[in-house]
Amino acid sequence: MRRYSPSLVVLLFGLSGFLGLVYEVLWIRKLTLVFGATTLALATVLAAFFGGMAVGSYVFGRIASRVANGIRLYALLEVGVGAFALAFPALLEGVDRLEAAVFPVLSRHPALLHGGRLLMGLALLAAPTALMGGTLLALVRHFVRAGTGVGTRIGGLYAVNTLGGALGAFTAGYVLIERVGIDSSTFLAGTANLLLGAAAWGLGG
């Protein structure tokens, strides 16, 4: 593996946090168009994010312990997130059609309607959130194998990712949606994720 500055990996993970919160804000807005401007859309995205990331941490944490190159695994996860983001508008359109098809029946039973919407939202967001959940474990595994400054590096990952997430939420809510629009913002974020993954792949070479 070629030599590189570990700070570059930490910086990429900060961008990952930024994009992750951009997606969260954008997907909440889009789901309100399908499910209505209720707390259900918010609850669905939050449940999917926390649940999906927990599952991803478990699954990809186990995978990370067996792979030789944690950065390359991280790169693949980021590319997967970006690819999903680019496909998200089309996938959401499919969910919208499904919701429209079952609404006449389920609308007579509010509990079933809300439950059905929740399941559709969770199914839609399960894959990308699981991929996001695996990114930290992939990089942690890399730094553990590198064996130098482990505590400092992992602490840096948490700090920079959290800061990036805060900036991402602010940027999406107050800048991107207003000036670019939700769909264009999703496209930009997805493209950025692909570039991030490509950069990480290069670092892991």
Side-chain angles (χ1 to χ4, degrees):
M1 185 181 296
R2 67 169 65 98
R3 294 183 62 84
Y4 64 91
S5 171
S7 297
L8 290 176
V9 178
V10 176
L11 181 61
L12 289 180
F13 197 54
L15 179 57
S16 176
F18 177 90
L19 294 172
L21 267 293
V22 167
Y23 292 136
E24 185 172 349
V25 173
L26 296 177
W27 293 343
I28 287 174
R29 293 295 185 90
K30 291 295 286 186
L31 285 174
T32 60
L33 300 178
V34 177
F35 299 150
T38 66
T39 57
L40 178 64
L42 175 61
T44 297
V45 175
L46 292 179
F49 261 79
F50 285 107
M53 291 183 72
V55 172
S57 295
Y58 175 78
V59 173
F60 290 107
R62 295 172 67 88
I63 294 174
S65 67
R66 298 194 296 267
V67 300
N69 194 322
I71 296 182
R72 283 281 173 92
L73 174 60
Y74 168 74
L76 292 175
L77 294 174
E78 292 291 359
V79 168
V81 174
F84 176 89
L86 295 179
F88 179 77
L91 295 173
L92 184 62
E93 184 177 347
V95 171
D96 189 17
R97 291 175 181 172
L98 177 60
E99 197 272 345
V102 301
F103 181 82
V105 176
L106 296 184
S107 61
R108 305 170 191 170
H109 309 282
L112 291 178
L113 177 63
H114 294 323
R117 285 174 169 174
L118 178 61
L119 289 176
M120 284 186 280
L122 291 175
L124 175 65
L125 299 180
T129 53
L131 294 175
M132 291 178 190
T135 55
L136 176 62
L137 274 297
L139 292 184
V140 166
R141 186 62 181 174
H142 163 73
F143 285 124
V144 168
R145 287 192 172 182
T148 56
V150 175
T152 301
R153 299 302 180 193
I154 294 176
L157 289 175
Y158 274 110
V160 173
N161 188 258
T162 300
L163 177 60
L167 292 174
F170 176 84
T171 302
Y174 293 97
V175 180
L176 288 177
I177 293 177
E178 179 180 354
R179 298 187 180 182
V180 182
I182 297 177
D183 289 339
S184 294
S185 295
T186 301
F187 175 80
L188 290 174
T191 302
N193 240 128
L194 294 179
L195 294 175
L196 189 161
W201 185 269
L203 288 178

